[in-house]
């Protein structure tokens, strides 16, 4: 299993985030975490329920 921070590296918007508003930065981090989680759930479901 990979490091969770490495999963976030694929999201360029987070790497290039220049916003000073903490709410916007948090939004992008939570969105990326949700996408990573959903991808993992889909991947595991594909292998378990074929």
């Amino acid at each position: 299993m990979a490091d969770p921070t490495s999963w976030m590296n694929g999201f360029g918007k987070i790497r290039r985030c220049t916003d000073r508003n903490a709410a916007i930065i948090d939004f992008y981090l939570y969105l990326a975490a949700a996408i990573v989680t959903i991808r993992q759930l889909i991947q595991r479901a594909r292998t378990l329920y074929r």
Side-chain angles (χ1 to χ4, degrees):
M1 204 151 135
D3 180 31
T5 55
S6 66
W7 293 343
M8 299 290 187
N9 288 337
F11 295 92
K13 178 65 178 172
I14 293 174
R15 285 193 314 252
R16 295 183 304 271
C17 190
T18 58
D19 291 311
R20 295 187 186 267
N21 188 346
I24 294 172
I25 295 169
D26 286 345
F27 168 77
Y28 283 120
L29 285 173
Y30 294 145
L31 180 63
I35 291 170
V36 167
T37 302
I38 290 170
R39 283 181 183 168
Q40 287 294 312
L41 289 172
I42 291 170
Q43 183 179 9
R44 289 181 187 185
R46 282 185 182 153
T47 59
L48 287 175
Y49 302 109
R50 281 190 175 224

